[in-house]
Amino acid sequence: MAGVTIALRIQNPRGFRLAADLLLPSGPGPFPAVVCTHDPLEEKESPLNRQLAGVLVGQGMAVMLLDLTGQGQSEGSPEDATTEQQLGDVGAALEELERRPDVDVKRVGAYGAGDGALPVVLRAERDPRIRALVLRCPRAKGTFDALRRTALPTLLIVGAEDRAVLEDALAIHEALVGEKRVVVVPDIDRYPSDLAYLQQAAMLAGDWFREHLG
């Protein structure tokens, strides 16, 4: 569990203040860290994100749960939540981590869920601070060119009952040029409430980041 949870307000390039929680393990840092974005129908407080954060922190990683522009507790409207805006949001989160002495900025990963996977992939293409990716239920739109230029270790997690997203995830897996893995979880759709699935998805992500961030 987290040793410390810090509530943050991060200013993005347009001046919107983004809500974020930084969860830190107990003990001395600096820690490897993971920035987490979410689907528009979720937010940083969602059970999926909290379950993920608990697992990662328990494995010795710092976790930033970020509400993107116009979502959750962050400033801006849904109309402001363009892909370019979200790219700036993820960049602002990385800059915040880079300023913190309790984070090892050479060991940073990114986790994106649903439509929140797109800004993570596009940011990873241009930002060498991101060293590994986990994408849960990612949509393919807009990602292919970036994926072909981004040889980062990438894990995909998708539910077998989410047919459209499963097709997208398999296409994304095919486009990836670096180390990659796709995990299809039986009997699960895009917005699961099953606690066993939440734990499984979190453990898969934790194992991937631990392997690739050290």
Side-chain angles (χ1 to χ4, degrees), residues 4-197:
V4 179
T5 300
I6 303 170
L8 300 172
R9 284 284 178 174
I10 302 168
Q11 186 167 301
N12 72 9
R14 280 188 61 191
F16 291 126
R17 297 173 69 212
L18 307 177
D21 286 345
L22 180 64
L23 292 82
L24 298 168
S26 299
F31 306 104
V34 177
V35 176
C36 301
T37 65
H38 54 81
D39 192 83
L41 296 181
E42 301 173 356
E43 57 182 55
K44 66 182 178 63
E45 302 296 339
S46 76
L48 280 163
N49 286 328
R50 291 294 161 175
Q51 184 80 7
L52 172 71
V55 169
L56 297 182
V57 169
Q59 294 184 352
M61 288 173 263
V63 181
M64 178 179 283
L65 299 178
L66 177 67
D67 277 342
L68 297 167
T69 295
Q71 300 175 18
Q73 300 170 11
S74 289
E75 293 181 346
S77 68
E79 290 72 26
D80 295 313
T82 63
T83 299
E84 194 62 31
Q85 181 64 56
Q86 292 174 344
L87 273 169
D89 294 348
V90 177
L94 292 168
E95 288 164 12
E96 174 67 24
L97 291 178
E98 195 168 30
R99 288 190 288 266
R100 300 194 62 88
D102 43 17
V103 168
D104 182 352
V105 77
K106 294 181 179 179
R107 296 189 292 161
V108 173
Y111 174 101
D115 291 335
L118 177 58
V120 162
V121 169
L122 297 179
R123 189 79 213 183
E125 177 197 3
R126 65 184 69 178
D127 200 320
R129 291 173 293 191
I130 298 177
R131 303 299 180 90
L133 297 173
V134 174
L135 310 177
R136 182 181 63 78
C137 301
R139 302 311 301 258
K141 183 181 178 181
T143 63
F144 287 122
D145 288 342
L147 288 167
R148 293 186 181 108
R149 294 189 294 264
T150 307
L152 291 177
T154 302
L155 170 68
L156 307 169
I157 306 171
V158 62
E161 297 306 310
D162 190 358
R163 304 293 183 180
V165 176
L166 175 58
E167 183 176 337
D168 279 358
L170 294 176
I172 288 171
H173 183 260
E174 182 67 23
L176 287 166
V177 296
E179 182 182 353
K180 58 187 177 180
R181 182 186 176 200
V182 60
V183 177
V184 180
V185 183
D187 303 321
I188 293 296
D189 60 17
R190 190 175 186 185
Y191 300 108
S193 58
D194 182 86
L195 295 178
Y197 167 75

